[in-house]
């Protein structure tokens, strides 16, 4: 089955969405031979840079590791086994770090919130540009700290695989099934605690 034959990845919504939001999805099969276009990578990082944050504090940092570099291998080596099974084919691995404590030792209470929003913007821009992104929480934070000498003020929160989507056949069987399973969400009514 080619990617073109996949059941729709488009979100089933009760009101029309921007196409990029409806169509964004998180693949695990990436084309291990395709480089990520540098302008598109820069655009994704710019989208993160221009996202809003509490008091414009911009409490985010990124480690950008292109496939074929030592940095990429160091990030990949610190993914949990399940993620190592697929994410090494992505063109770029991006570690997202929250500045949870500022340079004066004060807590930044919204740092993780702001970082998540920045990564969301990154994924949407990437998808708009024809790339695919897949965020991961399954990684060893202390391993990344050691590998990259990360200051204690910064907390690694996620690793995002970014690249050119590949064919589901390239995945081991269990992952292949998940790759082509329909995307699903809780119903809108179930997530609105109050809708007065
Ligand atoms: C914070 C976060 C952590 C995640 N961790 C993992 C992970 O470790 N491994 C993985 O395969 N997917 C991971 N995902 C991907 C989610 O499983 C995926 O976004 C979700 O199933 C919805 O699918 P969709 O993005 O295709 O709509 C993570 C996503 C987020 C936002």
């Amino acid at each position: 089955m080619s990617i073109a034959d996949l059941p729709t990845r488009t979100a089933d919504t009760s009101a029309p969405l921007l196409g990029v939001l409806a169509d964004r999805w998180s693949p695990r099969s990436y084309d291990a031979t395709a480089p990520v276009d540098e302008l598109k990578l820069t655009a994704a990082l710019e989208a993160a840079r221009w996202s809003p944050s509490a008091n414009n504090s911009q409490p985010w940092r990124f480690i950008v590791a292109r496939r074929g570099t030592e940095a990429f291998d160091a990030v990949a080596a610190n993914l949990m086994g399940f993620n190592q099974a697929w994410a090494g084919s992505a063109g770029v691995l991006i570690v997202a770090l929250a500045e949870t404590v500022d340079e004066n030792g004060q807590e930044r209470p919204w740092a993780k919130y702001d970082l998540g929003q920045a990564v969301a913007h990154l994924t949407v821009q990437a998808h708009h540009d024809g790339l695919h992104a897949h965020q991961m929480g399954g990684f060893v934070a202390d391993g990344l700290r050691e590998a990259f000498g990360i200051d204690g003020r910064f907390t690694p929160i996620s690793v995002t695989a970014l690249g050119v989507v590949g064919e589901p056949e390239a995945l081991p069987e269990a992952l292949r099934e998940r790759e082509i399973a329909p995307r699903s969400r809780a119903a809108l009514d179930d997530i609105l605690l109050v809708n007065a």
Side-chain angles (χ1 to χ4, degrees):
M1 179 187 286
S2 99
I3 198 78
D5 302 323
L6 282 177
T8 178
R9 307 273 86 201
T10 304
D12 177 15
T13 62
S14 49
L17 297 190
L18 291 175
V20 66
L21 292 178
D23 289 340
R24 182 214 57 80
W25 66 290
S26 305
R28 294 190 177 85
S29 181
Y30 285 92
D31 183 339
T33 63
V36 169
D37 180 272
E38 285 294 324
L39 193 59
K40 293 179 179 179
L41 175 58
T42 301
L45 296 169
E46 285 286 6
R49 182 168 79 99
W50 280 96
S51 62
S53 61
N55 203 28
N56 201 17
S57 53
Q58 305 162 64
W60 42 64
R61 298 290 187 278
F62 300 97
I63 292 170
V64 179
R66 292 164 182 77
R67 191 178 51 226
T69 65
E70 279 182 27
F72 185 97
D73 293 343
V75 177
N78 283 292
L79 296 176
M80 303 286 193
F82 167 70
N83 290 327
Q84 281 194 22
W86 60 268
S89 295
V92 184
L93 294 173
I94 301 175
V95 183
L97 306 104
E99 184 191 31
T100 48
V101 177
D102 74 13
E103 57 277 8
N104 300 314
Q106 297 294 310
E107 293 276 328
R108 286 205 190 279
W110 293 285
K112 293 178 184 174
Y113 181 93
D114 291 339
L115 176 71
Q117 187 154 224
V119 175
H121 285 212
L122 181 156
T123 65
V124 171
Q125 180 67 42
H127 201 101
H128 170 80
D129 287 335
L131 297 173
H132 283 72
H134 193 137
Q135 301 173 59
M136 291 169 274
F139 62 90
V140 183
D142 285 345
L144 289 177
R145 281 192 182 286
E146 198 174 320
F148 293 97
I150 295 166
D151 188 281
R153 294 198 299 112
F154 298 96
T155 305
I157 301 293
S158 67
V159 178
T160 296
L162 186 69
V164 176
V165 72
E167 302 295 338
E169 277 70 26
L171 292 170
E173 191 177 341
L175 290 181
R176 196 182 319 145
E177 280 171 21
R178 292 174 70 163
E179 193 80 343
I180 61 175
R183 295 173 62 231
S184 68
R185 289 297 188 272
L188 188 56
D189 281 348
D190 293 342
I191 63 169
L192 300 178
L193 291 182
V194 176
N195 188 19

